[in-house]
Amino acid sequence: MIVISASAPGKIVLMGEHAVVFGKPAIALAVNLRLRCRIDHSSENLVNGQPLATAGNPYLSYIVNNLSKNTDIPSNQQLSFDVLSDIPAGSGLGSSAALSVATIGALAALENKPLNEEAISKKAFEVEYDVQGRASPMDSSVSTHGGGIFLDSKKGPDFLWQSTRNDKTWYIHDLKVPQMGMVIGYTGIRKPTGPMISRVASYCKRTKFACEIIDEIGDITLEGAEAINHNDIEKLGRLMTKNHKLLAILGVSSPELQNLVDAALPHSYGAKLTGGGGGGSMIALTDKPEKVYKAIKLRGGTPYIVHTGVDGLKISERD
Ligand SMILES: Nc1ncnc2c1ncn2[C@@H]1O[C@H](COP(=O)(O)OP(=O)(O)O)[C@@H](O)[C@H]1O
Ligand SMILES: C[C@@](O)(CCOP(=O)(O)O)CC(=O)O
């Protein structure tokens, strides 16, 4: 019997979340929190031994319901999925993209297909977009590729692939990022991404002001990419904190996130919420990770000192 297991990383967003959904630039890094998905043939569709249901498992259900679109596996083939994750779900750390990437990667391996990063990442983006109602290809791309990525509205050096949905095209680039001390602070508050994206979209529909904030996030993200190219960590930190303020104006911060950002800032180059916001997690760029760790813990958050520069999708087992 063939048993396949694949793993994919979660991510942090250095700059540009939410604005990237509108086609603006963003910078995301894979981190050493991973989700593993093991797939096996089965007599019924199961997740961790329980029947697969759309309500509890929208991403896996979507993949199974669209099996014939994405694979040559017959649509009546039943599968069992075992999912094990280090990434807290609904926490802004890209758990849903890691789940989609690892599952689609494992299905490709089950079919003995060569791993094609671009194809897997695009299929995972489709899952994210359709289940959430709106998304950018940021999470699916960085989880597939690993390391760092820079999304832009035009093609530049180190271009990997482009993704188009409706009237928007994102050009995805490999981004080499120097080793940086990075601490995640999880508020413990689960916030699904879809409603946060909708909230920003309706704010932008109502007011020109919100669209200008989105533009401003895009502009400072380009400055952030320049700062990375020049290894200017202090400038990057300042821009990250500015990015946080702009996200707060858009209404996607929360008192709990602000509490952890405030705790981290005295020991950091910069700090900001990461991902969808409204709860979930923040990140701090620092050369004193232990101090930030303690400060976040003292304020009731769950800190993780994380490594970047990690692998993307990996097929980790084949029997
Ligand atoms: N280990 C897991 N097992 C099954 N589903 C998961 C797992 N981790 C995440 N998910 C799915 O992803 C959703 C969270 O995704 P999302 O709202 O985009 O937040 P984020 O990607 O920031 O964690 C969960 O509600 C669940 O449907
Ligand atoms: C808000 C957004 O920019 C990032 C969402 O990240 P997460 O799903 O909350 O980890 C949405 C997206 O880019 O698809």
Side-chain angles (χ1 to χ4, degrees):
M1 189 178 287
I2 304 165
V3 181
I4 298 290
S5 160
S7 75
K11 63 95 210 347
I12 53 173
V13 188
L14 280 190
M15 297 187 70
E17 58 272 90
H18 284 291
V20 70
V21 177
F22 295 77
K24 303 293 173 194
I27 303 164
L29 308 181
V31 294
N32 62 325
L33 298 173
R34 296 186 79 83
L35 179 145
R36 294 157 194 81
C37 178
R38 203 175 80 141
I39 299 191
D40 204 347
H41 292 112
S42 170
S43 55
E44 60 174 320
N45 288 321
L46 297 171
V47 185
N48 293 343
Q50 299 299 314
L52 173 63
T54 306
N57 275 289
Y59 295 86
L60 284 177
S61 298
Y62 181 96
I63 293 170
V64 166
N65 293 336
N66 290 280
L67 212 51
S68 57
K69 201 163 104 188
N70 290 319
T71 67
D72 295 327
I73 299 172
S75 51
N76 61 353
Q77 171 65 63
Q78 310 287 299
L79 297 164
S80 109
F81 301 90
D82 284 306
V83 182
L84 195 68
S85 180
D86 312 325
I87 313 165
S91 62
L93 301 174
S95 72
S96 61
L99 176 66
S100 303
V101 168
T103 307
I104 291 167
L107 286 169
L110 190 67
E111 290 187 281
N112 238 330
K113 285 194 174 149
L115 282 189
N116 174 335
E117 270 193 6
E118 178 177 348
I120 287 168
S121 149
K122 285 181 172 173
K123 283 178 186 170
F125 173 39
E126 205 173 309
V127 178
E128 288 268 288
Y129 197 104
D130 290 348
V131 175
Q132 287 174 10
R134 213 182 255 119
S136 81
M138 173 175 66
D139 288 14
S140 44
S141 301
V142 75
S143 188
T144 310
H145 182 64
I149 61 162
F150 172 54
L151 295 90
D152 201 358
S153 54
K154 56 184 190 311
K155 201 190 272 192
D158 301 315
F159 171 73
L160 293 169
W161 61 78
Q162 68 200 62
S163 276
T164 299
R165 186 83 194 219
N166 296 335
D167 57 341
K168 287 180 191 64
T169 297
W170 294 265
Y171 295 86
I172 293 133
H173 304 82
D174 177 60
L175 183 70
K176 298 275 177 279
V177 177
Q179 264 314 314
M180 299 186 281
M182 195 66 71
V183 183
I184 293 175
Y186 175 41
T187 59
I189 297 167
R190 228 180 127 140
K191 270 281 171 187
T193 308
M196 298 308 294
I197 298 177
S198 302
R199 180 192 291 204
V200 174
S202 64
Y203 192 11
C204 282
K205 228 180 206 167
R206 286 198 317 273
T207 72
K208 189 163 164 271
F209 173 76
C211 301
E212 287 169 3
I213 299 288
I214 296 283
D215 289 343
E216 207 177 323
I217 292 176
D219 292 344
I220 65 165
T221 300
L222 289 178
E223 284 185 54
E226 275 297 304
I228 290 173
N229 286 338
H230 292 105
N231 219 345
D232 190 343
I233 302 298
E234 285 181 21
K235 183 168 183 191
L236 177 63
R238 280 197 302 276
L239 289 165
M240 285 169 62
T241 306
K242 190 167 175 191
N243 191 168
H244 176 74
K245 290 177 184 163
L246 294 170
L247 288 164
I249 294 170
L250 276 184
V252 295
S253 188
S254 70
E256 295 82 3
L257 278 168
Q258 195 55 53
N259 185 26
L260 299 188
V261 167
D262 290 343
L265 273 176
H267 317 291
S268 305
Y269 295 110
K272 63 182 276 295
L273 70 86
T274 190
S281 307
M282 50 71 67
I283 52 170
L285 175 63
T286 178
D287 54 11
K288 301 182 194 83
E290 300 296 342
K291 279 199 167 163
V292 174
Y293 184 99
K294 277 190 194 145
I296 288 173
K297 215 173 159 95
L298 266 175
R299 300 270 185 114
T302 305
Y304 301 83
I305 297 177
V306 287
H307 302 293
T308 56
V310 303
D311 285 334
L313 172 65
K314 281 204 312 197
I315 302 298
S316 35
E317 197 183 302
R318 179 184 283 249
D319 291 334

